[in-house]
Amino acid sequence: MSLSQLEFASLGSGSKGNATLVCVGTTCIMVDCGFSMRETVLRLEQCGKQPEQISAILLTHEHTDHIKGAGALSRRYGIPLWSTRGTARAQALGDIGRHYFINAEEEFKIGQIFIQAYPVPHDAREPCQFTFSNGRQRLGLLTDVGKGTPHIVEQLTKCDALLLECNHDSEMLQNGDYPPSLKQRVASDLGHLSNQQAAEILSQLDTTNLKYIAAMHLSDKNNQSYLARQALSEVLNCEQSWVNIADQQTGLAWQQI
Ligand SMILES: [Zn+2]
Ligand SMILES: [Zn+2]
């Protein structure tokens, strides 16, 4: 039996909102929903999808840029939410119809998609990130994480595609106009990955199978896409243009692996 292809797209990525689509066959999962419901529906339309086609909303953690429209979209269209119990306790989600709890270490399946959750260091209640598979190819997602860990490296190694946070350039962050407390938070082990930290994680992965990579969650104040491209392409020893950038406005176009 031939397996359906693994397809993915981003509706937008950054501190003002995140949502990623991962689809296999007729199963289509929205990972995080950090835009208002109205904005999410508009962005879905631009991706050629209707809310009715979304099989599940899977949450990484409860920060507003990841859950803003999740509760409303789930209620309005009867889409079940999936998250850890810690994330589910976030007040901002409101009343949810169907909510499935996951364990941050568990492998589970939604429709045709195999999902492996893994915990990450980030300043939220019970944050986790995921790898997705159709049974053959694997897509690794890692954003909103303060530092790499051996466990993260183990999860992401040998992926066919990677969506990897490149939040900031350390120098731009230190010299920028964020208040000191925010600079400290972003740079901390529970904050976000710098381009250099992302490159370090990437350098520890087996990238033999890697056919696609995108830098995610770039700060509009403390980063530039060319810096993220530079950092990742140096590790992969590839053209800078081979590294894709998911931006806040347009996200990433559909990819198939
Ligand atoms: Zn975020
Ligand atoms: Zn976050």
Side-chain angles (χ1 to χ4, degrees), residues 60-66 122-124 144-145 185 191-192 217:
T60 59
H61 66 300
E62 73 276 21
H63 290 161
T64 312
D65 57 321
H66 297 262
H122 188 56
D123 54 0
D144 296 76
V145 53
R185 194 224 132 205
H192 291 274
H217 217 300

Side-chain angles (χ1 to χ4, degrees), residues 6-10 20-24 29 31 113-116 118 129-142 155-164 209-210 212-214 216 252 254-257:
L6 185 58
E7 300 175 278
F8 55 95
S10 160
T20 306
L21 299 178
V22 181
C23 306
V24 174
I29 297 175
V31 188
I113 309 184
F114 299 91
I115 305 160
Q116 172 71 58
Y118 63 97
Q129 296 289 321
F130 305 100
T131 62
F132 304 90
S133 173
N134 59 355
R136 191 175 48 209
Q137 281 88 15
R138 227 151 48 87
L139 163 70
L141 172 67
L142 178 66
Q155 295 299 316
L156 295 182
T157 203
K158 292 187 182 164
C159 275
D160 296 85
L162 282 172
L163 303 177
L164 179 59
N209 298 335
L210 194 68
Y212 179 90
I213 189 166
M216 309 292 285
L252 289 169
W254 283 108
Q255 298 297 323
Q256 284 190 341
I257 50 165

